[in-house]
Amino acid sequence: MCKVSELKSAALQSQSLLSKLFRHEQAVYAQASQSAACMAAHHVVALLCRWLFRARDLAGSDNLQFTHKFLAEMLRVKRTSVTLHARTLQQAGIIKYSRGRIQITDVEAMQETVCECYGSVKSYYQALLGPQQV
Ligand SMILES: [Zn+2]
């Protein structure tokens, strides 16, 4: 971690770093816009899959630690809705969950369930920042 003043100073001395920061800002803005549209238009189970896939990308692991309460807050839905859809995903063999631990057990099946927003944002990130930055 570095201080904001150090990052600002480094960015002003490096066109490459400044460019990357601008591209990252664009990607974050695009993700926020897509996320808002997704939450308004797509089913909760698709949102849950999108969120789990994004967390999987960031964590670099199929094993995640999220409570239903936390996921409900992130998705802006009732906890009971997360519990219902997590149960559906578990019964389909797509995830396993227990006491705040979620394991994605069938990535291909989850890809069929997630809405197109996940792939759209991921492609945008890759285009702006490169494949290793998703
Ligand atoms: Zn969506």
Side-chain angles (χ1 to χ4, degrees):
M1 175 142 16
C2 71
K3 293 179 181 176
V4 172
S5 60
E6 293 170 351
L7 179 61
K8 184 176 178 181
S9 177
L12 292 174
Q13 294 174 16
S14 167
Q15 282 285 34
S16 172
L17 178 58
L18 189 59
S19 172
K20 196 161 205 159
L21 288 171
F22 279 131
R23 285 181 277 137
H24 184 266
E25 182 183 18
Q26 281 182 290
V28 169
Y29 181 76
Q31 182 178 14
S33 298
Q34 186 73 49
S35 189
C38 180
M39 291 171 104
H42 293 137
H43 193 271
V44 174
V45 73
L47 301 177
L48 179 58
C49 290
R50 178 179 58 85
W51 213 91
L52 292 174
F53 263 144
R54 182 69 182 136
R56 176 181 182 260
D57 288 345
L58 294 172
S61 172
D62 290 332
N63 297 299
L64 307 167
Q65 294 188 11
F66 299 118
T67 63
H68 290 187
K69 181 177 184 280
F70 176 80
L71 290 169
E73 289 171 2
M74 292 296 106
L75 299 173
R76 297 184 191 149
V77 298
K78 291 182 179 179
R79 188 193 55 75
T80 53
S81 182
V82 170
T83 299
L84 173 71
H85 294 296
R87 184 179 305 136
T88 300
L89 291 172
Q90 183 164 253
Q91 288 171 344
I94 296 172
I95 66 168
K96 284 184 186 175
Y97 70 84
S98 176
R99 299 177 185 235
R101 294 178 187 271
I102 298 174
Q103 180 185 12
I104 299 172
T105 54
D106 189 341
V107 172
E108 290 179 15
M110 187 176 267
Q111 285 171 336
E112 293 173 11
T113 308
V114 72
C115 61
E116 68 273 12
C117 301
Y118 168 71
S120 172
V121 170
K122 186 170 183 171
S123 295
Y124 195 69
Y125 259 85
Q126 289 175 335
L128 285 172
L129 302 168
Q132 72 279 14
Q133 304 296 322
V134 291

